[in-house]
Amino acid sequence: MMYWSKLLCDTRQTNAKTINKHDMRSEFQKDYHRIICSASFRRLQDKTQVFPLDKSDFVRTRLTHSLEVSSFAKSLGQTSFQYLIDNKPEEKITPEIKENVCSILECAGLLHDIGNPPFGHFGEEAIRNWFRNNLSKIKFEDDTLDKYLNEQMKNDLYHFEGNAQALRLLTKLHYLVDKNGMHLTYALLNTLIKYPVSSCEINKNSGNIKDKKMGYYLAEKELFENITSSTGAAGYRYPLTYLLEAADDIAYHTADIEDAVKKGFLTYHRLLKELKSDKYINLCADDEELKSYMSCINNLEERYKRSLEKNIINPELNAVQNWVISVQGYLLFCATYGFTINYRDIMSGKFTQEILQTTYGATLIYALGDIAKELVFKSKEILKAETTAGNIITYLLDKLVPAVVNYEKGVKLSPMDERLMSLISDNYLEIYEIYSNGKTKDEKLYLRLLLVTDYICGMTDSYAKQLYRELNGID
């Protein structure tokens, strides 16, 4: 069983706290200011959400998406914990707990995608594929790279994950005052660990959402264990992660539809036709969910009629935009219900699903995601953009990995490899030197490979594209 007295752990990697009697902020509110003032957060403004290398200014970036998730997550904290205060007096939820929860969720929303590489999920997949295809081909000393790495080291690369990269970035790579990154509270860091398992423990068929992906690299194993033991969540999924996950799902499923209509990938009439199809209607678990689902569809039609009556210039887009706002409110209500109705199972570590899947919003959220997947993500424009993104990531890994493999103090590099190594941030190189000190040859090799993914993940879309062009001699 988990308890808020321990879950809301305000410990940081270094426990030294500056006492300022005039500073009335909680430790979790201090986290917020560390985040929004950071370069890592600002870089999200030039990272892909859905449309890679998109030049328009009206669709979402990772920054605008993260702001939306932050807002939704905080709202879910407010409604869920106010309900617990009002209706479950035996749980001993206080207004102070609610306030701290809201601060943590607001911060977690800002940071939930901060570990993602350029070009969104296409970039993640390109990195995974590159290591799966090349780790057994590149030579190091007397053998190929895969022969020097243990199973977890290899799996960390084969299953490269933005969530695990976020933990690494926030606790090491964001070199603010020392090697401990942003010095964020453990409660916040644990909220961001969506999948509390290693790359060797991934099991997509376990039936438990916590096993779906990895949450940390071997390089951060000790830190992961320290965080989860300090919060009392060792072996469990941290409770606030469910609310963060729901906020993310609501934000991107609804935004993808709105952006797709803005970009012309999807029309109002096609969206309405898809939503009314038996493919989704038949997924409704019972009559009540069907009634709720059909009410949402009718709401879309009503908004279109109103747009026509008002002589709106683009009634289709206006209807969808207004409908999306309505749907977001409905799904936030569903998520609050899902969290509070399953609260005891969540706190005991027995809950194994996403909270929206236990509500009347389950079919709607699935339908929105599936429509975007089939009609937007498989479009020629997106597939071309994915190919471009994949080519850029693959090229950078082709060049950087052989260079970094042989990088070590005292080892003579080729002139080309020296130039490539000079591109990597001094901060990242310093972090490598600090954490590789005293490690074995194999461990150092593993950390050097992470050095490459660290560098690439720190790139914006524009920087990655420009570096690719420069290295290829393209003006």
Side-chain angles (χ1 to χ4, degrees), residues 130-276:
W130 190 92
F131 280 109
R132 288 170 186 155
N133 294 332
N134 292 282
L135 211 56
S136 61
K137 298 177 182 177
I138 296 177
K139 295 278 289 185
F140 174 61
E141 294 186 347
D142 300 323
D143 218 328
T144 53
L145 294 180
D146 60 312
K147 297 298 193 296
Y148 290 90
L149 306 179
N150 65 33
E151 284 305 303
Q152 188 169 351
M153 291 174 182
K154 286 186 285 189
N155 280 321
D156 284 355
L157 300 169
Y158 296 155
H159 299 282
F160 171 83
E161 177 61 44
N163 291 292
Q165 186 66 27
L167 181 64
R168 181 168 171 78
L169 168 65
L170 297 172
T171 59
K172 291 180 179 176
L173 304 179
H174 186 90
Y175 200 106
L176 189 60
V177 292
D178 59 25
K179 64 180 182 177
N180 294 305
M182 281 193 196
H183 286 262
L184 300 173
T185 57
Y186 278 6
L188 172 54
L189 292 173
N190 209 163
T191 302
L192 292 164
I193 300 172
K194 291 179 65 176
Y195 310 102
V197 297
S198 73
S199 58
C200 292
E201 299 168 310
I202 297 171
N203 183 357
K204 296 183 179 181
N205 299 316
S206 73
N208 194 327
I209 188 68
K210 76 178 182 65
D211 303 325
K212 184 179 176 182
K213 300 177 183 178
M214 69 170 170
Y216 64 95
Y217 300 130
L218 177 60
E220 282 72 60
K221 181 175 185 291
E222 184 179 343
L223 177 61
F224 164 80
E225 292 173 346
N226 192 16
I227 291 169
T228 55
S229 62
S230 296
T231 62
Y236 304 122
R237 205 182 202 206
Y238 191 81
L240 297 186
T241 302
Y242 290 98
L243 292 175
L244 174 63
E245 180 176 62
D248 187 24
D249 286 346
I250 293 168
Y252 81 77
H253 278 91
T254 56
D256 288 355
I257 294 297
E258 182 183 352
D259 286 350
V261 174
K262 286 180 180 177
K263 288 280 292 179
F265 288 95
L266 185 64
T267 66
Y268 158 80
H269 295 288
R270 183 63 188 275
L271 173 62
L272 185 63
K273 178 183 176 182
E274 292 296 325
L275 288 170
K276 285 184 173 181

Side-chain angles (χ1 to χ4, degrees), residues 43 46 53 118-119 392 396 422-425 455-456 458-470:
R43 275 195 288 269
D46 190 15
L53 306 177
F119 316 121
I392 292 172
L396 294 176
S422 70
L423 298 174
I424 298 177
S425 165
Y455 177 46
I456 289 177
M459 296 179 184
T460 63
D461 289 18
S462 296
Y463 179 84
K465 184 180 179 183
Q466 183 59 32
L467 181 61
Y468 171 82
R469 293 174 65 86
E470 289 174 353

Side-chain angles (χ1 to χ4, degrees), residues 106-122:
E106 184 175 29
C107 291
L110 296 177
L111 294 174
H112 79 286
D113 274 346
I114 204 161
N116 283 22
F119 316 121
H121 295 300
F122 317 126

Side-chain angles (χ1 to χ4, degrees), residues 343-378:
Y343 180 73
R344 286 194 177 89
D345 282 347
I346 289 171
M347 294 300 286
S348 63
K350 296 178 182 178
F351 191 66
T352 60
Q353 307 174 66
E354 298 177 9
I355 55 176
L356 281 168
Q357 299 309 307
T358 65
T359 74
Y360 291 154
T363 297
L364 178 60
I365 197 81
Y366 173 79
L368 294 175
D370 195 57
I371 291 169
K373 176 183 175 183
E374 295 300 320
L375 301 182
V376 180
F377 301 154
K378 292 183 179 180

